[in-house]
Amino acid sequence: MTKYVFVTGGVVSGLGKGITAASLGRLLKARGLKVASQKLDPYINVDPGTMSPYQHGEVYVTEDGAETDLDLGHYERFIDEDLNKYSNLTTGKVYWNVLNKERRGEYLGSTVQVIPHITNEIKDFVYSVGRKTGADVVITEIGGTIGDIESQPFIEAVRQISLEVGRENSLFIHVTLVPFLSGSNEHKSKPTQHSVKELQGLGINPSIIVLRCDEPLEESIFQKIALFCNVKPDCVIENLTLPNLYEAPLMLEKQGLAEVVCRELGIETEKPDLRDWEDLCDRINRSHEKTVDIGLVGKYVALHDAYLSVVEALHHAGYQHGLTVNIHWLDSEMINDDNAEEMLSAMDGIIVPGGFGSRGIEGMITAARYAREKDIPYFGICLGMQVSAIEFARNVCGLPDANSGEFDEDSPDKVIDFMPGQSDDIDKGGTLRLGSYPCVIKKGTVMERCYGSSEITERHRHRYEFNNDYREAFTSRGMTLSGISPDGTLVETMELSDRDFFVGVQYHPEFKSRPNRPHPLFIGFIGAAEKRASAHRE
């Protein structure tokens, strides 16, 4: 029978429930178990797809096109399993589904209530991921903090699941903060006690308590929390703040987290094989001798989580090359022709990631031009490819008013425009080109060199495309359309093939990068940046 692990958080938000859940998934997978992960989010949006990156960080896209919470990126990177639409559920989606069922008469005239209708919808979703994946263990993270009003239906639903599947097939992990008071020079357990009491008042007794802390805890803290929170002494786990988040699974393994989880769930497993993860952490620890400087030019740089997967993919490639990637956060609104030299000349590579809207676009175009003219490795992702196309059209193809239909509907040369059959008078949510699509790679290109393959599949999240009316204008002036959809209708990638790396891709390769299996395009980009850095040092 599938086992269920529920991860909740207490005291404050932002404690790293997602990293704890992802680390546990890695540890269980290392024991030969099949693991599935999911996140229940209490906000009322149907999904994060229409939310500002400043509100919620990046939107993570799964293979099947679900727009999800960024914690799913942690799950995929740690567990190295592709997630799906059953991996993220919001309050908005729950009520959307329930109200649609009510309108169709599926409740046979019943009064629709939080219990049982809302909780049943949540339960069906939690059960579905186990059915769809055949997982031995389903790890479900409940967003928010215990005590939040909006989280209560989710807490009630997982409480019912625990009763339905039996205590032997389910357990609760509660992640809390143990603050350190410098004035008295001691850690305080009282916030954890209050948080557990709040959870118990909702009918849930946590089996394991994970204590987030910045400094190692004294033994008395473990004993006090075990006693007052009614858990076994070895079920109180320390979770220290680490300089490198990928060390978290190894730290939690030493603390005995996975061993306790397997014992409490009655799972007998083989010994964990964590050699590849240990090798990864060794590479990370040895990567500080060499560095490259990468300028990340974006419009959301004030919140680094808006580009979380891009940042992680850059670091993954750095580990592969045995170096540290220094990311310089460059606000595209601040870049112009007058200061481009000052802001960009010290960069070993320039990356322009995805985004929406016209704000800051001219600064991105300036960065793309500077990279092209100064032969600096350039990597344009989604919007980054589009701005490089606009720049090329303006300054190489002789089309000074070239633009995207997204930014200037009246432009005489919309080199980027709507996908066929789409227009601006449609709902925004879920109408982008989403999920995995194939791409055929042209021979003799940087793309082929990086991938080592003639056909690939990558995840998309966009509405606008390269305008096919300008294919000839681009190729006749040196731009290689190096990746095309199998039916030949959509330009997926473009590049200057005579450069070490000047590549734009319409998709989001960052979503498929893993710490122990970096994405080939990021490997190629950082390799080109390292070559430039070495040349400068000489």
Side-chain angles (χ1 to χ4, degrees):
M1 183 175 182
T2 299
K3 308 284 186 175
Y4 294 88
V5 176
F6 302 105
V7 181
T8 59
V11 184
V12 295
S13 60
L15 286 178
K17 295 193 306 294
I19 297 297
T20 301
S23 297
L24 176 60
R26 185 75 204 186
L27 297 177
L28 295 178
K29 183 177 179 181
R31 286 165 164 75
L33 298 172
K34 183 171 178 55
V35 179
S37 295
Q38 61 181 186
K39 173 83 180 288
L40 308 182
D41 273 309
Y43 51 77
I44 299 177
N45 303 66
V46 172
D47 59 44
T50 59
M51 296 171 69
S52 165
Y54 286 127
Q55 289 280 314
H56 206 64
E58 75 172 6
V59 174
Y60 192 82
V61 178
T62 61
E63 283 284 298
D64 60 355
E67 295 176 288
T68 72
D69 181 80
L70 58 79
D71 273 325
L72 269 70
H74 290 312
Y75 301 161
E76 286 206 357
R77 285 187 287 271
F78 276 70
I79 305 173
D80 199 10
E81 297 284 348
D82 289 337
L83 302 181
N84 53 47
K85 64 183 180 180
Y86 298 103
S87 300
N88 196 203
L89 181 68
T90 69
T91 293
K93 191 178 293 182
V94 172
Y95 277 84
W96 178 280
N97 292 343
V98 168
L99 290 173
N100 280 319
K101 288 180 179 178
E102 185 272 331
R103 293 288 84 186
R104 293 193 298 265
E106 293 186 25
Y107 297 126
L108 304 177
S110 298
T111 301
V112 178
Q113 298 175 296
V114 172
I115 301 173
H117 301 95
I118 297 299
T119 51
N120 282 350
E121 188 71 23
I122 297 169
K123 286 157 56 179
D124 287 345
F125 188 88
V126 173
Y127 286 135
S128 68
V129 72
R131 291 194 299 266
K132 295 290 182 180
T133 61
D136 299 308
V137 180
V138 174
I139 301 173
T140 303
E141 176 191 350
I142 291 89
T145 306
I146 292 302
D148 294 344
I149 292 173
E150 57 264 34
S151 298
Q152 290 182 4
F154 291 113
I155 296 297
E156 172 59 20
V158 298
R159 184 194 69 81
Q160 293 179 22
I161 290 174
S162 179
L163 292 177
E164 291 170 3
V165 302
R167 301 288 186 181
E168 69 279 9
N169 293 313
S170 63
L171 64 77
F172 292 88
I173 298 175
H174 192 49
V175 183
T176 72
L177 175 68
V178 179
F180 179 79
L181 297 186
S182 57
S184 58
N185 196 35
E186 61 180 342
H187 287 97
K188 290 294 185 180
S189 65
K190 191 62 70 176
T192 294
Q193 295 178 46
H194 281 301
S195 181
V196 171
K197 183 179 179 181
E198 181 87 24
L199 188 58
Q200 290 171 335
L202 297 172
I204 291 174
N205 293 305
S207 306
I208 299 170
I209 299 175
V210 175
L211 307 178
R212 281 286 283 114
C213 51
D214 292 328
E215 301 291 338
L217 299 171
E218 49 272 22
E219 183 61 31
S220 60
I221 291 290
F222 295 97
Q223 295 172 357
K224 183 181 291 187
I225 289 175
L227 179 64
F228 283 97
C229 297
N230 197 31
V231 299
K232 299 173 184 176
D234 65 351
C235 290
V236 183
I237 306 291
E238 181 182 74
N239 187 353
L240 271 170
T241 301
L242 298 169
N244 163 32
L245 65 87
Y246 293 116
E247 292 180 1
L250 300 181
M251 177 192 67
L252 292 172
E253 175 66 17
K254 290 179 182 177
Q255 295 291 325
L257 176 61
E259 184 177 343
V260 169
V261 167
C262 289
R263 183 193 72 200
E264 295 299 304
L265 290 175
I267 301 174
E268 294 185 6
T269 69
E270 56 198 57
K271 288 186 178 182
D273 183 359
L274 290 165
R275 286 174 296 179
D276 62 336
W277 209 259
E278 292 167 349
D279 291 343
L280 165 67
C281 291
D282 285 341
R283 286 201 307 276
I284 294 173
N285 292 331
R286 294 195 308 267
S287 67
H288 302 299
E289 296 180 4
K290 294 189 296 181
T291 62
V292 293
D293 293 294
I294 301 298
L296 191 154
V297 180
K299 60 172 68 179
Y300 313 119
V301 294
L303 181 66
H304 294 182
D305 274 359
Y307 302 112
L308 180 60
S309 290
V310 171
V311 169
E312 291 304 313
L314 288 170
H315 289 315
H316 300 164
Y319 306 150
Q320 182 77 12
H321 284 284
L323 54 80
T324 295
V325 177
N326 293 328
I327 298 175
H328 299 257
W329 298 88
L330 305 177
D331 188 340
S332 60
E333 287 190 280
M334 300 293 105
I335 300 175
N336 54 56
D337 291 338
D338 295 331
N339 65 14
E341 178 75 19
E342 176 186 352
M343 296 188 71
L344 300 171
S345 61
M347 298 299 107
D348 300 313
I350 295 171
I351 186 167
V352 180
F356 295 90
S358 60
R359 182 175 62 83
I361 293 300
E362 291 302 321
M364 296 180 192
I365 293 172
T366 297
R369 179 176 184 176
Y370 188 87
R372 180 180 58 80
E373 292 181 343
K374 302 296 183 180
D375 196 13
I376 298 175
Y378 177 87
F379 193 7
I381 296 175
C382 196
L383 178 61
M385 178 188 119
Q386 295 176 1
V387 298
S388 66
I390 294 169
E391 187 280 320
F392 192 82
R394 289 180 183 179
N395 300 305
V396 179
C397 298
L399 304 171
D401 296 320
N403 215 322
S404 166
E406 180 181 7
F407 313 135
D408 182 6
E409 182 60 36
D410 297 324
S411 170
D413 292 295
K414 289 184 280 190
V415 294
I416 305 295
D417 208 356
F418 274 123
M419 291 167 52
Q422 285 200 321
S423 65
D424 202 25
D425 58 353
I426 57 178
D427 293 336
K428 298 297 185 186
T431 61
L432 301 170
R433 185 180 178 209
L434 292 164
S436 184
Y437 288 88
C439 170
V440 177
I441 296 176
K442 188 174 182 179
K443 291 184 179 299
T445 59
V446 175
M447 285 283 295
E448 185 189 42
R449 186 180 76 223
C450 289
Y451 279 99
S453 176
S454 60
E455 186 164 339
I456 59 169
T457 58
E458 292 283 1
R459 301 181 195 180
H460 294 64
R461 183 177 183 255
H462 64 99
R463 178 174 290 115
Y464 291 83
E465 298 279 0
F466 179 77
N467 189 335
N468 289 326
D469 293 343
Y470 293 88
R471 284 194 185 189
E472 174 60 27
F474 271 55
T475 56
S476 64
R477 289 168 177 82
M479 183 67 78
T480 303
L481 306 182
S482 51
I484 307 292
S485 62
D487 62 4
T489 60
L490 300 174
V491 174
E492 296 279 18
T493 76
M494 56 179 60
E495 65 180 60
L496 296 176
S497 300
D498 59 341
R499 308 288 181 91
D500 283 335
F501 201 97
F502 191 101
V503 175
V505 299
Q506 188 60 78
Y507 48 81
H508 289 268
E510 68 270 23
F511 293 146
K512 296 182 76 168
S513 184
R514 305 288 182 262
N516 53 345
R517 191 162 47 84
H519 192 282
L521 285 182
F522 282 89
I523 293 174
F525 174 59
I526 295 301
E530 181 186 17
K531 180 179 177 181
R532 177 180 173 82
S534 299
H536 281 181
R537 283 193 290 267
E538 294 173 0

